[in-house]
Amino acid sequence: MAERIQTGGPSIELRLAPPERAAYEAAVRVAVDERWVERLADRDPSLWSHDARVQAEIGDRLGWLDAPRHFADQTASLETFGDEARENGFTAAIVAGMGGSSLAPFVLRQTFGTSPDWLDVRVLDSTDPAAVSAIVDDLDPLTSLFIVATKSGTTTEPLAFQADAYARIEAALRQRHADRHTEPADFMAIVSDPGKSVESIPHQASIPSIFLNPPDIGGRYSALTYVGLLPGSLLGLDLDELLGSAQLMLAAATTREDPEENGAVSLGLAIGTLARGGRDKLTLIADQEIAAFGMWLEQLIAESTGKSGVGIVPVDAEPLGTADTYGDDRVFVRIALSGSAGPAAGQEVGDADELIAELAALGHPVIRIALDDPMDVGGEFVRWEIATAIAGAVLGIDPFDQPNVEEAKRLTRDLLAHRQGNDAAAARTPSLVRDGLALLPDKGLDTAQATGTLAGELARHLARRDPRSYIALQAFIAPSPARDAAFARIRTLLRNRTRNATTFGYGPRFLHSTGQLHKGGAPIGLFLQLTADHPKDRPIPGWPYTFGELIDAQAAGDFAALEAHGLPVLRIHLGADPEAALATLERALETALGG
């Protein structure tokens, strides 16, 4: 049964089998009886908790509901900033952030591209030394605007990127004998929160352009704040149009009392109810031009719902399969753009819409959203923020906290503090070598008997999954198109042979998104962690460790955090040639899975 729900923006269509339709309709009745739409519009924290302390915390995290209106008053000054950046000779901008501070800029950059008349906006969110070099080393430090984006003002990664940028700018100024009144801070801007947050950022007193967000907006709900809008101004986007799309969606979501006429609330009720009934793998299939939206959405859903032993597992950019390769724990979300060339790269197998129709006919839940224009992404930010908040209410959790994110960070800090001792070295060094790759099994595998081939180790590890598991690939290596393609093949192999959902993320980026779900959600993940050598490491100026040491410690810290939760994790060290090692891994997985 299909139902099309009209909203202030693009419509949404739900196709649910009878049992799931009944559960959804029951949730709609509860939402109507308990006035969920009205309470959402009133910023009533009792929608999510009856605990006074939790309600007080939630009350300080609902500013995102005001963001489209609030920032509509800032578009003129933002567009002036973008114009002045060009007039001042800037040709590029580097957004240095993590998680909520980097993913919205990434979506806008990938969706709208760059123009010769505007700045080349790049997002730096990897501490791998090769990744840092790939983003910044071909740019002139004196024509590149460096944006430090951190809500807390203390996030390790953007501050490390800032230290690197400051030293590069300072060296360029000396080399070119710049005016003695010019300093590196003149080539920087800040996006942060007021008070201690911005005051914690080095050189903030000398940085001329500082953009302070309302402090009651959490990082993953900050797409339509300065986090996304400042980079948008440098890309030359029409910010009024982007925010206009968002305001239309927000108005519909907070005024239409019947959820079945409210595309954002109905979506949240659907995905929350489906997850509660075992359909907790939200599989995203987006057209190529808007595919980057899935990465932002992955963080929003995973970090908001993955806690207290429950959660929705977003499955982004998994290559398309045939209908028989999917388990009965899936929900499929098709996000289509009018006039698109088709599904995203890496999803080439079959036609997406034909597959969706077949899946619906087989009884899988299908949600279809059709966008008329890429600018509708403004409304989609709002739709999914509200839907995620509503899904949290259905699941009985607080969708605005992230109780497990700090674990891996703490363990990373401990490793870095003791990096010259044996503890850090042992934590980073895999203990087994098979087929040219080194492995570090988790404590659940019998390492005394682990004398087989790489395929044998993988088979033992994969045997720990069950039909509800998801297989998470965690790559603490520098991204590249060749590596993206290799991981797409590996995901396809794993999914086709096991029918388990697969997820993928580059570290440390995913630590600020799906990392919360991994540790705090349902204990159904099975993890493959991948690390590599650093043939050319990169110092962090003024810091006691390098970028290579930082990302190694981040990998080791996450490994330890997963083990602390009793989750199955296997580390595979790819050595100095990750491309060749990934090919070896793919062959070993073929054997391990009975190929």
Side-chain angles (χ1 to χ4, degrees), residues 326-338:
Y326 298 104
D328 61 5
D329 56 350
R330 300 267 195 161
V331 180
F332 296 89
V333 178
R334 175 78 172 102
I335 305 178
L337 177 66
S338 177

Side-chain angles (χ1 to χ4, degrees), residues 294-532:
M295 188 178 295
W296 174 85
L297 185 54
E298 179 182 49
Q299 185 215 8
L300 176 71
I301 293 172
E303 198 166 63
S304 298
T305 69
K307 60 199 67 172
S308 302
V310 300
I312 298 171
V313 180
V315 182
D316 178 42
E318 185 181 61
L320 293 184
T322 54
D324 61 351
T325 61
Y326 298 104
D328 61 5
D329 56 350
R330 300 267 195 161
V331 180
F332 296 89
V333 178
R334 175 78 172 102
I335 305 178
L337 177 66
S338 177
S340 170
Q347 295 186 334
E348 300 90 346
V349 181
D351 178 83
D353 292 316
E354 288 182 7
L355 174 63
I356 286 292
E358 184 179 359
L359 290 165
L362 291 171
H364 289 285
V366 168
I367 299 168
R368 182 180 174 87
I369 298 172
L371 309 185
D372 293 326
D373 186 275
M375 275 293 176
D376 288 340
V377 73
E380 290 310 297
F381 284 135
V382 170
R383 186 204 301 273
W384 284 96
E385 286 171 346
I386 289 173
T388 301
I390 293 295
V394 172
L395 294 171
I397 49 96
D398 173 2
F400 308 110
D401 67 352
Q402 49 279 330
N404 301 101
V405 167
E406 185 61 26
E407 293 178 37
K409 294 181 182 179
R410 175 180 55 78
L411 290 165
T412 296
R413 289 193 296 268
D414 291 345
L415 287 167
L416 288 168
H418 301 92
R419 70 192 184 285
Q420 293 179 341
N422 292 331
D423 290 344
R428 290 199 307 270
T429 304
S431 58
L432 301 170
V433 177
R434 298 286 179 267
D435 300 326
L437 303 186
L439 286 78
L440 180 62
D442 65 59
K443 293 174 184 176
L445 292 178
D446 185 353
T447 57
Q449 298 179 3
T451 58
T453 64
L454 171 63
E457 303 298 337
L458 289 166
R460 272 188 283 272
H461 186 56
L462 292 169
R464 305 176 73 186
R465 63 183 177 80
D466 65 36
R468 285 200 65 225
S469 297
Y470 64 94
I471 303 172
L473 301 172
Q474 305 175 323
F476 285 87
I477 63 176
S480 77
R483 295 170 189 180
D484 291 344
F487 286 118
R489 292 193 303 271
I490 289 170
R491 291 181 74 180
T492 301
L493 172 63
L494 288 167
R495 190 269 322 283
N496 289 355
R497 298 288 180 83
T498 68
R499 299 183 78 227
N500 290 122
T502 68
T503 65
F504 169 73
Y506 284 107
R509 174 195 289 160
F510 76 82
L511 295 179
H512 298 258
S513 57
T514 53
Q516 167 62 44
L517 172 78
H518 294 163
K519 271 85 79 175
I524 55 175
L526 185 138
F527 303 92
L528 285 174
Q529 186 189 90
L530 306 164
T531 58

